[in-house]
Amino acid sequence: MKKILLLPGDGIGHEIMEQAKKVLACFPNLFEYEEGYIGGAAIDKYGTPFPETTLKQALEADAVLLGAVGGPKWDSLPSENRPERGLLAIRKALGLYANIRPIDIWKPLIDLSPLKPSFLKDVSFVVVRELTGDLYFGTPRGVHGEKGSRSAFNTMVYSEEEIKRIAHTGFRLARNRKKKLCSIDKSNVLEAMALWREIVEEVHQEYQDVALSHMYVDNAAMQIIKKPSDFDVILTPNMFGDILSDEAAVLCGSLGLLPSASLGSKHALYEPIHGSAPDIAGMGIANPIGMILSAAMMLETSCGSSDLAFKIRSAVAAVLDAGFRTKDSWSDGMVLVSTDEMGTKIAEHILR
Ligand code: IPM
Ligand code: MG
């Protein structure tokens, strides 16, 4: 029996987590669950976005399933106490250095994409984002001086070891796909990025069956829109990966559809890539599919159950094929369903 820690978080986190639970309940006796607090919910209960209790639960779990964090209620807090810091802290504490964000087009939703369908043919790639280094965690960081003459600073820093381990993750993944890896950097300007490129090339020596290319991040931002079908695995540092993965998500038509896995050598966390959407929280209109597909990634990666993950993905495809849509992805002629109904439809399909 696998031990799963559920961290619904804030905003729509709860409603979409309910749907993931409903879907996982289709496979009884495989998991035991515990619930915990992170982000704003944890600030309200414990006064901190990542309490000790949550850390302890997470360290003991086989996998963590997370909804989303953040909301206007906590926006005025100093940056080190904001809900988002809870997310960064759990990534760091569990050593989740590899963030995997698959970008796949769901055929029934192709018209939702701002790109012409002809550009989207054969689009299927994975963003492998380094998640515990770079500007997000580099020191020194802070603010100097008095108001009126302050300067603020962050540090982009990567060690060879950090680059090596994420490069291995990227190459291993590419090996099981189309054997193409595009590494993103800004080595023409930044020392940390020149080291990134050098080490990626070094690691490539062990993966000669994978075709390696390099791209500056500004060009990558353009190519993801111009020729998305050219990509297979995109390997990227933390900061650039944050930006490029949101851009890539637009190709799919709705941010609500996309799952992710954050992996370390001992721990794993799964979460949809969207935020907590406080403006629609509690309205029952959020799209639970990104959350449900994150649960599928968990089954595949942390529970060794690719067959169950496949069942979930097939059920999602069938329900979309049948025309059921939450509000974010609804269009004329489709059947509008609530968050809860979408979860139920997918679960029913699995059990069929
Ligand atoms: C993401 C998010 C987070 C990040 C925020 C919420 C801290 O944008 O997971 O992409 O910047 O990594
Ligand atoms: Mg982001």
Side-chain angles (χ1 to χ4, degrees), residues 83-96:
E84 290 79 0
R85 280 297 172 100
L87 191 54
L88 300 181
I90 196 172
R91 288 173 181 170
K92 195 69 177 176
L94 301 185
L96 309 174

Side-chain angles (χ1 to χ4, degrees), residues 17 19 21 37 42 45 70 112 115 127 137 158 187 213 218 220 235 249 275 285 297 324 333 347:
M17 186 63 85
Q19 308 319 311
K21 278 159 85 173
Y37 293 83
K45 193 171 163 71
L112 292 179
L115 255 64
V127 178
F137 295 96
Y158 268 117
S187 58
S213 59
D218 46 353
L235 176 68
I285 59 175
M297 285 186 91
F324 297 105

Side-chain angles (χ1 to χ4, degrees), residues 117-304:
S118 60
F119 282 79
L120 295 167
K121 236 176 88 232
D122 306 320
V123 168
S124 170
F125 61 88
V126 184
V127 178
V128 176
R129 170 189 174 195
E130 200 288 327
L131 204 59
T132 51
D134 202 344
L135 285 160
Y136 273 65
F137 295 96
T139 51
R141 64 185 293 164
V143 188
H144 274 161
E146 298 300 317
K147 203 171 161 98
S149 60
R150 284 169 299 175
S151 41
F153 51 98
N154 295 88
T155 303
M156 178 183 266
V157 52
Y158 268 117
S159 69
E160 296 198 12
E161 202 41 53
E162 284 174 312
I163 303 168
K164 246 182 224 163
R165 63 184 182 179
I166 192 69
H168 278 290
T169 305
F171 282 117
R172 274 197 304 265
L173 200 71
R175 198 166 248 179
N176 290 320
R177 296 178 49 98
K178 286 179 272 174
K179 298 190 168 42
K180 269 166 65 174
L181 183 142
C182 180
S183 171
I184 310 302
D185 62 45
K186 189 74 186 174
S187 58
N188 48 345
V189 179
L190 304 165
E191 282 80 356
M193 295 290 91
L195 184 66
W196 176 278
R197 186 174 288 214
E198 186 186 323
I199 301 300
V200 169
E201 281 191 346
E202 213 175 283
V203 174
H204 180 226
Q205 299 307 312
E206 296 174 47
Y207 301 87
Q208 291 291 323
D209 52 324
V210 176
L212 168 66
S213 59
H214 301 280
M215 212 178 261
Y216 296 139
V217 61
D218 46 353
N219 185 26
M222 205 160 59
Q223 298 307 328
I224 284 174
I225 298 299
K226 274 178 80 177
K227 278 190 133 198
S229 58
D230 272 6
F231 293 102
D232 180 21
V233 172
I234 295 181
L235 176 68
T236 152
N238 201 351
M239 183 76 205
F240 299 157
D242 179 47
I243 301 165
L244 294 180
S245 62
D246 268 26
E247 187 197 9
V250 171
L251 301 173
C252 312
S254 171
L255 200 56
L257 296 165
L258 293 165
S260 84
S262 302
L263 311 174
S265 51
K266 289 203 210 69
H267 301 282
L269 179 149
Y270 301 84
E271 60 173 322
I273 85 161
H274 59 70
S276 60
D279 51 322
I280 60 162
M283 293 166 70
I285 59 175
N287 191 339
I289 292 180
M291 184 81 245
I292 289 169
L293 293 173
S294 299
M297 285 186 91
M298 177 181 84
L299 292 181
E300 187 159 46
T301 309
S302 285
C303 308

Side-chain angles (χ1 to χ4, degrees), residues 39-66:
I43 295 175
D44 289 350
K45 193 171 163 71
Y46 298 98
T48 162
F50 185 50
E52 279 293 320
T53 336
T54 308
L55 170 63
K56 191 163 172 290
Q57 287 175 308
L59 289 172
E60 283 167 6
D62 291 299
V64 180
L65 199 56
L66 189 145

